[in-house]
């Protein structure tokens, strides 16, 4: 047996000679393939660069063309995201003292709602106010961290502070409403005729 008989049968033409490949291409209707030794005169050969004139400084290679980033920089998105986070931080810093002073917050809220009532147990509401202030702070921190991560990965980020503010506001509102709506004095004020 020869070496050719021991080789596995070719499936993709890997053992075909150049003549066999040209014959197969011609049989499939692809025309004839040029012989590898034949030089195509239709394509001009690359000519070497001309030499610089005598006495000229050596020519430095031209810089490689720069490529643009795959994603745009989104400057407007970055500015809007940072502005929303800054506004949220200012709002947070103004709200924390009010939330910690839950009695003052509850009196202001009842006055604005037109409810003539007083809290039956003001000390119970203080814990809820502190919990709301802590959650508000954690909500802003989580929103800022997620926004920073998104900005660093060049993703669209302006919506993250908006969604974070809405989710945080809803949960903080529920934390503040729980002691107000469970207080008997406030519930009497709701049911009193106006």
């Amino acid at each position: 047996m020869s070496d050719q008989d021991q080789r596995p049968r070719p499936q993709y033409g890997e053992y075909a000679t150049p003549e066999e490949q040209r014959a197969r291409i011609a049989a499939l209707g692809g025309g004839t393939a040029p012989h590898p030794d034949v030089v195509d005169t239709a394509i001009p050969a690359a000519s070497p660069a001309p030499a610089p004139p005598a006495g000229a400084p050596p020519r430095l290679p031209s810089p490689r063309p720069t490529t643009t980033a795959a994603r745009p920089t989104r400057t407007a998105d970055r500015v809007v995201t940072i502005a929303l986070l800054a506004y949220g931080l200012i709002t947070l810093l103004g709200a924390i003292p009010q939330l910690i002073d839950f009695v003052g917050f509850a009196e202001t809220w009842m006055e604005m709602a037109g409810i003539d009532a007083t809290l039956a147990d003001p000390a119970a509401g203080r814990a809820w106010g502190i919990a709301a202030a802590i959650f508000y702070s954690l909500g802003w921190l989580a929103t800022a961290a997620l926004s920073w991560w998104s900005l660093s990965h060049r993703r669209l980020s302006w919506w993250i502070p908006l969604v974070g503010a809405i989710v945080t506001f809803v949960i903080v509102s529920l934390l503040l409403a729980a002691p107000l709506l469970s207080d008997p004095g406030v519930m009497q004020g709701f049911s009193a005729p106006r």
Side-chain angles (χ1 to χ4, degrees):
M1 285 194 157
S2 68
D3 286 338
Q4 205 170 24
D5 293 337
Q6 292 176 354
R7 292 188 300 186
R9 183 177 175 157
Q11 295 181 355
Y12 304 106
E14 58 262 5
Y15 299 133
T17 64
E19 292 82 19
E20 291 172 334
Q21 292 176 3
R22 282 192 293 279
R24 179 71 177 157
I25 291 171
L28 292 175
T32 59
H35 192 274
D37 295 335
V38 176
V39 177
D40 190 3
T41 57
I43 302 172
S47 62
R59 187 174 178 191
L60 297 175
S62 62
R64 295 178 64 191
T66 59
T67 57
T68 58
R71 294 184 181 158
T73 58
R74 295 189 170 128
T75 304
D77 175 59
R78 185 176 300 269
V79 169
V80 170
T81 303
I82 292 171
L84 288 171
L85 287 172
Y87 179 74
L89 180 62
I90 292 169
T91 305
L92 170 68
L93 294 176
I96 286 178
Q98 295 174 359
L99 295 175
I100 291 176
D101 180 23
F102 185 77
V103 175
F105 167 79
E107 289 173 356
T108 304
W109 181 80
M110 287 185 286
E111 181 182 320
M112 292 180 72
I115 299 171
D116 187 24
T118 57
L119 290 174
D121 187 12
R126 181 169 167 77
W128 286 93
I130 292 172
I134 291 171
F135 186 82
Y136 199 172
S137 301
L138 292 176
W140 185 87
L141 287 173
T143 301
L146 187 60
S147 298
W148 183 261
W149 178 85
S150 181
L151 285 172
S152 67
H153 286 83
R154 294 186 179 167
R155 296 183 178 180
L156 195 62
S157 306
W158 63 267
W159 60 273
I160 297 173
L162 293 177
V163 172
I166 291 169
V167 169
T168 303
F169 178 76
V170 167
I171 295 174
V172 167
S173 297
L174 292 174
L175 288 173
L176 295 174
L180 290 173
L181 297 179
S182 64
D183 191 276
V186 176
M187 293 310 292
Q188 286 178 354
F190 270 126
S191 60
R194 296 184 190 187

